[in-house]
Amino acid sequence: MLFCYGTLQLPEVLEALLGRIPARTPASAPGWRAAALEGRVYPGLVADALGGAATGLLLTDLSTEEWRILDAFEDDRYELRQVTLSTGDRGWAYIWPGGDVLSHDWSVEEFRTRHLDAYAARCARIAAELTAGLRRSSTQ
């Protein structure tokens, strides 16, 4: 299960990257926040010393190839780690290791309004390259 707190919450981004919208369940991660990042339109999940909770979605039916696509797509600085969710379950999440973190939280609505169309188009181009590369490497 993958906890998504940023752009991967959006159906348009999932469809562009994976060619489908996986099963999703609302979730939150106490003790974390989806921070705005300097020079980036996507957020980073960082510890929240103030005791807040990052809201998002839990993707529950990703295939092995979809995991590979998401791992290859995500910024190299992210660390894939498990976090405890408000339900008591644990889910994997891409954690931002620090640096470039702004004091305010990332806004999904601002992203949707200002960046979604161009970002989804970019994701579709990247997904085609990633899928072709993954298929090539698995046959070698």
Side-chain angles (χ1 to χ4, degrees):
M1 296 187 294
L2 178 64
F3 174 66
C4 302
Y5 54 87
T7 63
L8 292 178
Q9 297 179 84
L10 300 169
E12 298 88 344
V13 172
L14 291 168
E15 182 74 40
L17 284 171
L18 305 177
R20 72 179 190 101
I21 300 167
R24 303 171 297 154
T25 303
S28 64
W32 298 91
R33 71 181 185 96
L37 301 174
E38 180 73 38
R40 293 173 172 84
V41 299
Y42 53 85
L45 191 65
V46 298
D48 183 7
L50 301 177
T55 59
L57 296 172
L58 196 59
L59 304 183
T60 58
D61 69 340
L62 292 171
S63 71
T64 301
E65 182 171 341
E66 289 169 335
W67 271 104
R68 283 190 220 135
I69 289 169
L70 294 176
D71 282 340
F73 170 74
E74 290 295 351
D75 190 302
D76 288 343
R77 291 187 56 195
Y78 283 112
E79 298 170 7
L80 187 60
R81 296 194 338 223
Q82 284 195 322
V83 296
T84 301
L85 304 171
S86 58
T87 60
D89 294 322
R90 294 181 58 77
W92 292 98
Y94 291 101
I95 308 294
W96 192 254
D100 304 326
V101 176
L102 300 175
S103 61
H104 63 280
D105 289 345
W106 180 79
S107 167
V108 69
E109 290 309 318
E110 181 180 336
F111 175 84
R112 189 185 312 272
T113 302
R114 297 182 62 200
H115 305 289
L116 179 57
D117 291 340
Y119 192 84
R122 181 175 164 263
C123 288
R125 288 190 303 274
I126 291 170
E129 295 168 10
L130 290 174
T131 302
L134 289 172
R135 288 198 180 119
R136 264 197 308 276
S137 65
S138 66
T139 60
Q140 294 176 348

